[in-house]
Amino acid sequence: LIRAMIRVVDPQIGERIYDGACGSAGFLCEAHDYLIAKPNLGTTDLSILQERTFYGKEKKSLAYVIAIMNMILHGIEAPNIVHTNTLAENLSDIQDKDRMDVILANPPFGGKERTEVQQNFPIRTGETAFLFLQHFIKMLKAGGRAAIVIKNTFLSNSDNASVSLRKLLLESCNLHTILDCPGGTFQGAGVKTVVLFFEKGAPTRKIWYYQLDPGRNMGKTNPLNDADLAEFVELQKTYADSDKSWTVDVENVDKTSYDLS
């Protein structure tokens, strides 16, 4: 799934790539492998990849140490990973110089954030993932691209925070693609997820949906593989309709609920 997300977002040499909930740095390491495989890389390109391409933040001490080790093992000798609680940062403190070209993330969801953490965000909610989504939108440069995993209830929850967040996303970003993942995609998660692909700086006009169906139950012995996602990656290039994909005109979405389900 991570590799498919990276292929759709298609990061380039010289772009800064960020994960504000990086865990063991899986997204950053896969993005490194994607970029290092590009042909005809020069010494300048390699230096850029080493020093000023990959950025991450992680709250948990063990995950932070694993992330550093993982990146070093992937050949990134000076990882730009910070041991910090991303959500403790006030959104209004993010400056232009802080913004990123590409964001790839699977933020934690289901948390109950404290009131003092919620106060760092214009849309206040205890849901960890919804605070991270606000952070990611703010951290993107104009024209920047993101692929974010989030639980599928985000598309239809009727509470004020969910409605406000969907409105913010649709009005400030072009949410061009939603990948609906099957249950069991993430081991032990217990919830269904979607991947939101968006570009910052222009409102959403049309959303291309793809319903991923590998034709089998997901589990430890038969996880998703690259072949399962090959059709999605190919059809997404042209937003093609198929028996698993379709396009929705956002003008037809109810503006009181912004229900995307």
Side-chain angles (χ1 to χ4, degrees):
L1 181 63
I2 290 173
R3 285 192 288 272
M5 290 164 66
I6 291 168
R7 284 198 286 271
V8 169
V9 173
D10 190 25
Q12 301 295 313
I13 302 286
E15 292 186 319
R16 296 204 301 168
I17 302 169
Y18 173 69
D19 182 352
C22 72
S24 58
F27 280 101
L28 298 177
C29 290
E30 286 287 353
H32 171 268
D33 289 353
Y34 179 84
L35 288 169
I36 204 77
K38 287 186 177 292
N40 306 318
L41 295 184
T43 53
T44 302
D45 298 324
L46 296 174
S47 174
I48 289 170
L49 287 179
Q50 278 286 335
E51 298 167 11
R52 51 183 191 275
T53 297
F54 306 103
Y55 297 84
K57 292 174 185 170
E58 175 52 41
K59 175 182 174 182
K60 294 182 178 177
S61 299
L62 179 59
Y64 165 71
V65 173
I66 293 172
I68 295 283
M69 183 177 70
N70 199 7
M71 293 186 76
I72 290 171
L73 289 172
H74 277 76
I76 305 161
E77 293 170 12
N80 298 303
I81 307 290
V82 181
H83 186 201
T84 185
N85 180 0
T86 305
L87 301 182
E89 303 170 19
N90 195 304
L91 223 58
S92 61
D93 292 338
I94 296 172
Q95 308 294 315
D96 276 345
K97 65 179 176 57
D98 304 318
R99 292 194 168 98
M100 299 288 170
D101 301 287
V102 172
I103 295 178
L104 301 160
N106 176 17
F109 34 74
K112 294 288 181 283
E113 298 297 332
R114 303 185 312 277
T115 304
E116 54 266 35
V117 170
Q118 296 182 37
Q119 288 173 347
N120 292 320
F121 298 86
I123 300 171
R124 297 185 183 180
T125 170
E127 170 54 65
T128 309
F130 292 0
L131 298 179
F132 267 111
L133 188 53
Q134 291 179 71
H135 172 78
F136 293 142
I137 292 171
K138 188 68 181 272
M139 280 292 290
L140 266 186
K141 287 182 177 178
R145 310 179 305 288
I148 311 295
V149 180
I150 202 161
K151 59 183 179 180
N152 71 348
T153 52
F154 166 74
L155 301 180
S156 58
N157 277 358
S158 57
D159 60 285
N160 289 339
S162 298
V163 173
S164 297
L165 188 50
R166 290 195 295 269
K167 182 174 188 286
L168 170 70
L169 180 60
L170 292 175
E171 291 182 351
S172 63
C173 302
N174 176 20
L175 175 63
H176 55 80
T177 298
I178 294 178
L179 171 61
D180 190 356
C181 299
T185 297
F186 294 95
Q187 293 303 316
V191 295
K192 289 196 68 177
T193 54
V194 294
V195 185
L196 308 176
F197 294 86
F198 55 90
E199 185 172 321
K200 186 172 176 180
T204 304
R205 301 294 184 210
K206 294 180 184 296
I207 302 173
W208 184 73
Y209 287 81
Y210 184 90
Q211 178 80 53
L212 183 61
D213 180 12
R216 64 183 191 283
N217 291 328
M218 298 288 98
K220 284 184 179 179
T221 56
N222 54 356
L224 277 180
N225 57 52
D226 290 315
D228 293 328
L229 287 142
E231 182 188 69
F232 162 71
V233 173
E234 189 58 36
L235 293 180
Q236 197 277 337
K237 294 174 184 175
T238 58
Y239 307 110
D241 286 346
S242 72
D243 57 342
K244 296 179 183 175
S245 61
W246 61 95
T247 301
V248 171
D249 192 326
V250 173
E251 291 303 311
N252 298 327
V253 171
D254 181 356
K255 297 302 186 290
T256 59
S257 66
Y258 292 92
D259 189 324
L260 300 178
S261 62

